[in-house]
DNA sequence: ACCTGAACACCGTTCAAGT
DNA sequence: ACCTGAACACCGTTCAAGT
């Protein structure tokens, strides 16, 4: 539950940054559907139309949210996971470096699973998104892919990362723990009621379909699968 | 523009099937946002609450739409692309067969790009979805993957197909041709205005990022990339 | 420059009532 | 069984007005 900031006495001046902060916090807590012009205004102790001075319309606000996530990912790629700017040239092979870029994006997205879908259609609309794209394209070109395949694989990479996060087994956005648990139990039970002769493999997999044993293993497999796919298609290979 | 059926004199009895038909046609023409209880009622010449007799709420209607697409895909897999039921056992290798399943799903989804996002969270909620999942799991197990990896790869396969369709370069849902063209030109122009020293690879790729030269080649690459990834991870391989 | 107030055209949904 | 009517609590957005 996000409280009215006015009631909490935290009222401050509005700004694009504060609105985006608030929207992201709200989406993290209650899902993207809760991110509403009117709700955001309420949380900031302001009239809904106040937001229209800062953003032309809701679409632009969503653009702003996406840009925030993208620039966090770009910063992580530029600085490395330790926050130290990387100065010396990266000596690793193209595939290790590409995997690093995807892993950085993944790290940011995992903190905001309700918002990941906003990103792919907007990646080319802001500078940090262009930076990320430029790096991915450069690495794929270095690997020997043509311009067209590189472009398509770069976009596909972003989509893969997004759908990994959005489809993490057991994911339910915008409901709190108890209800979430209840829903998962229900889903599990209904799957276990399936015909064992017709759906033996589904039945054997119920546990893994409905919850994520090890998140680390899950995301490693996702990245590995994408990278193996790219490597498998690399031109001039056995 | 979808016309009021009442005005067209085509008024018939309501049913779950007719409502789903109507919703799919509407989404195809104007995008998912246009699919509204009130709008559907209007198009059928009926009061909005009439729909609530057939579906408990909007969520169930969306479930119904997803199930329709899923069952079309399952039928295509079962019958083959020619519509003839496949009787003799499939002799192909597991990877060719898996690719065939994905290609069938792809074929159905490409006709309804506005609706693909509905499917992944609902694939386990209906019989045809369980059929598709069972096949994918069986083939992955046959390939030597463990239960957990098979489950995760099967779901990832579905997400890949969906995002291939949703992110097809040049895709803009729910607007007619002229406006679509205009938007693409604008987007292309803004990308071409990017710094050539900072974003050389982006600049070289503008054409491919903003429009899809050959749809066939695009989708082939997408399926190839996924299948290469799975093959690359197959246990007990060089 | 930054925000408010009233108003408009939309949503999904409930509940009682009609046939 | 199948649909209507009125009502409620929400949306995004415009436009004129305040400070």
């Amino acid at each position: 539950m996000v409280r009215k900031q006015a009631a909490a006495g935290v009222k401050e001046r509005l700004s694009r940054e504060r609105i985006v902060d608030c929207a992201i916090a709200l989406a993290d807590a209650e899902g993207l559907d809760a991110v509403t012009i009117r709700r955001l205004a309420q949380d900031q102790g302001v009239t809904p139309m106040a937001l229209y001075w800062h953003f032309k319309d809701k679409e632009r606000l969503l653009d702003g949210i996406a840009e925030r996530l993208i620039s966090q990912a770009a910063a992580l790629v530029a600085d490395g996971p330790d926050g130290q700017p990387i100065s010396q040239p990266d000596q690793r092979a193209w595939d290790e470096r590409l995997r690093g870029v995807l892993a950085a994006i993944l790290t940011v997205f995992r903190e905001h699973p309700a918002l990941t879908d906003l990103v792919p259609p907007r990646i080319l609309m802001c500078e940090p998104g262009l930076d990320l794209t430029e790096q991915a394209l450069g690495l794929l070109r270095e690997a020997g892919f043509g311009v067209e395949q590189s472009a398509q694989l770069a976009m596909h990479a972003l989509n893969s990362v997004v759908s990994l996060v959005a489809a993490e087994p057991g994911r339910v956005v915008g409901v709190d723990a108890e209800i979430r648990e209840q829903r998962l139990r229900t889903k599990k039970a209904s799957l276990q009621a399936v015909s064992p002769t017709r759906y033996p493999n589904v039945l054997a997999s119920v546990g893994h379909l409905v919850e994520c044993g090890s998140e680390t293993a899950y995301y490693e497999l996702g990245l590995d699968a994408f990278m193996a796919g790219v490597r498998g298609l690399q031109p001039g290979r056995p």
Side-chain angles (χ1 to χ4, degrees), chain A:
Chain A
M1 229 10 149
V2 174
R3 308 296 308 150
K4 254 191 163 182
Q5 288 218 345
V10 197
K11 183 162 183 178
E12 275 184 47
R13 257 295 211 69
L14 231 50
S15 73
R16 288 176 60 95
E17 283 67 35
R18 281 182 48 77
I19 294 171
V20 169
D21 286 344
C22 189
I24 291 178
L26 181 54
D28 290 344
E30 305 183 33
L32 187 53
D33 287 347
V35 177
T36 251
I37 297 281
R38 294 177 114 102
R39 173 66 187 275
L40 285 172
Q42 199 180 86
D43 287 357
Q44 313 247 28
V46 104
T47 212
M49 310 80 202
L51 301 201
Y52 283 90
W53 199 90
H54 300 272
F55 294 96
K56 193 204 155 229
D57 54 23
K58 191 178 180 184
E59 198 60 27
R60 301 303 162 181
L61 170 57
L62 297 178
D63 292 348
I65 295 172
E67 177 165 3
R68 171 72 62 82
L69 298 196
I70 295 167
S71 77
Q72 284 180 9
L76 202 57
V77 170
D79 293 350
D82 50 0
Q84 298 300 313
I86 296 170
S87 44
Q88 72 279 40
D90 199 328
Q91 300 290 356
R92 296 173 297 167
W94 69 268
D95 55 344
E96 284 187 69
R97 296 181 62 196
L98 180 57
R99 206 197 136 104
V101 173
L102 299 186
I105 299 176
L106 190 55
T107 300
V108 172
F109 285 8
R110 284 179 67 181
E111 292 169 44
H112 309 285
L115 294 170
T116 54
D117 286 338
L118 296 178
V119 169
R122 294 175 173 88
I123 187 72
L124 298 174
M125 286 177 30
C126 61
E127 229 181 52
L130 290 172
D131 287 333
L132 289 172
T133 307
E134 178 66 23
Q135 290 188 56
L137 292 174
L139 292 167
L140 288 163
R141 298 283 285 136
E142 186 183 327
F145 290 99
V147 273
E148 181 159 19
Q149 290 206 342
S150 295
Q152 294 176 354
L153 288 173
M155 293 302 118
H156 198 60
L158 181 62
N159 283 315
S160 292
V161 169
V162 162
S163 70
L164 271 182
V165 175
E168 186 191 300
R171 169 89 63 209
V172 188
V173 301
V175 301
D176 31 32
E178 23 186 344
I179 305 179
R180 203 190 80 100
E181 293 300 325
Q182 183 52 45
R183 280 209 208 162
L184 289 184
R185 271 196 300 273
T186 309
K187 176 150 194 176
K188 196 166 184 174
S190 83
L191 276 177
Q192 278 163 341
V194 112
S195 156
T197 57
R198 189 166 173 191
Y199 303 113
N201 288 299
V202 170
L203 204 53
S205 310
V206 171
H208 303 295
L209 291 170
V210 87
E211 67 205 340
C212 197
S214 156
E215 292 188 21
T216 312
Y218 170 78
Y219 286 109
E220 286 294 311
L221 177 68
L223 288 183
D224 286 346
F226 181 82
M227 292 308 304
V230 176
R231 262 185 245 108
L233 295 185
Q234 192 182 8
R237 257 180 126 256

